[in-house]
């Protein structure tokens, strides 16, 4: 019973974290991310049986029709660099967690948060302002064109004022 209650509370808190507060709550990308929340971390994982960080981003982008390689460093070499002030939902955010260059990647979801496969928590939502991530932030890359963004990452309210 205690385990079921804990799972219910955790599920509710995750839904409250990403639900209506997400910048693309009604988008295709949001639905893919939502369906993966809570999936366990598996090194080399690329499916809902388990993800590593780049396997998670590769999976999400594949579901919306964009191919990414399965390695955070390789993903970092794609797209266009975006300043932290101009990140929009769907942009990839990168971190140096090993001291040896880009080693972690997530997907910005708005409101200063990003979805990623954490080695300790599985697929989750974290804040870019958490000190752990602030100290390891490398940069962000825009993989999607504005047209792709409007069709898969922006909710209907965002479509009128996309950059």
């Amino acid at each position: 019973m205690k385990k079921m209650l804990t799972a219910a509370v955790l599920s509710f808190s995750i839904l409250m974290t990403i639900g209506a507060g997400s910048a693309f709550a009604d988008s295709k990308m949001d639905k893919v991310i939502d369906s993966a929340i809570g999936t366990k971390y598996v090194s080399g994982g690329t499916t809902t049986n388990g993800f590593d960080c780049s396997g998670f981003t590769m999976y999400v982008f594949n579901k919306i029709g964009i191919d990414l390689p399965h390695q955070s460093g390789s993903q970092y070499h794609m797209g266009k660099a975006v300043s932290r002030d101009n990140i929009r939902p769907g942009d990839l955010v990168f971190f140096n967690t090993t001291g040896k260059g880009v080693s972690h990647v997530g997907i910005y979801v708005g409101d200063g948060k990003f979805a990623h496969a954490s080695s300790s928590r599985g697929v989750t939502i974290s804040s870019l302002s958490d000190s752990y991530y602030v100290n390891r932030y490398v940069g962000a890359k825009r993989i999607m064109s504005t047209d792709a963004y409007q069709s898969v990452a922006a909710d209907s309210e965002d479509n009128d004022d996309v950059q």
Side-chain angles (χ1 to χ4, degrees):
M1 178 70 172
K2 184 178 179 185
K3 200 172 197 176
M4 285 176 33
L5 182 59
T6 302
V9 169
L10 179 61
S11 296
F12 180 73
S13 65
I14 288 171
L15 286 172
M16 294 310 293
T17 301
I18 64 171
S22 172
F24 51 85
D26 296 326
S27 74
K28 292 176 189 175
M29 181 175 273
D30 188 56
K31 288 177 175 70
V32 175
I33 291 170
D34 282 352
S35 71
I37 294 292
T39 302
K40 67 183 176 182
Y41 180 89
V42 173
S43 181
T46 61
T47 71
T48 53
N49 291 326
F51 291 111
D52 65 12
C53 66
S54 61
F56 169 68
T57 55
M58 186 175 84
Y59 172 84
V60 171
F61 275 76
N62 179 266
K63 290 290 186 184
I64 60 169
I66 297 172
D67 290 328
L68 294 179
H70 184 201
Q71 208 278 332
S72 57
S74 296
Q75 291 178 9
Y76 183 70
H77 292 295
M78 298 181 70
K80 176 184 168 192
V82 181
S83 72
R84 194 168 175 147
D85 293 338
N86 290 316
I87 300 172
R88 70 181 180 199
D91 288 344
L92 294 177
V93 288
F94 295 91
F95 306 88
N96 178 347
T97 58
T98 63
K100 299 176 182 175
V102 171
S103 55
H104 189 65
V105 61
I107 303 168
Y108 186 71
V109 296
D111 297 327
K113 296 180 174 144
F114 68 103
H116 63 119
S118 161
S119 59
S120 61
R121 294 178 289 153
V123 177
T124 189
I125 303 289
S126 297
S127 174
L128 284 173
S129 62
D130 286 352
S131 62
Y132 180 84
Y133 296 108
V134 167
N135 294 330
R136 291 163 176 82
Y137 183 80
V138 173
K141 293 290 183 98
R142 181 150 303 150
I143 303 299
M144 289 184 280
S145 67
T146 297
D147 288 344
Y149 169 79
Q150 289 176 333
S151 97
V152 302
D155 67 23
S156 57
E157 295 173 14
D158 288 342
N159 285 340
D160 296 332
D161 59 314
V162 172
Q163 294 181 16

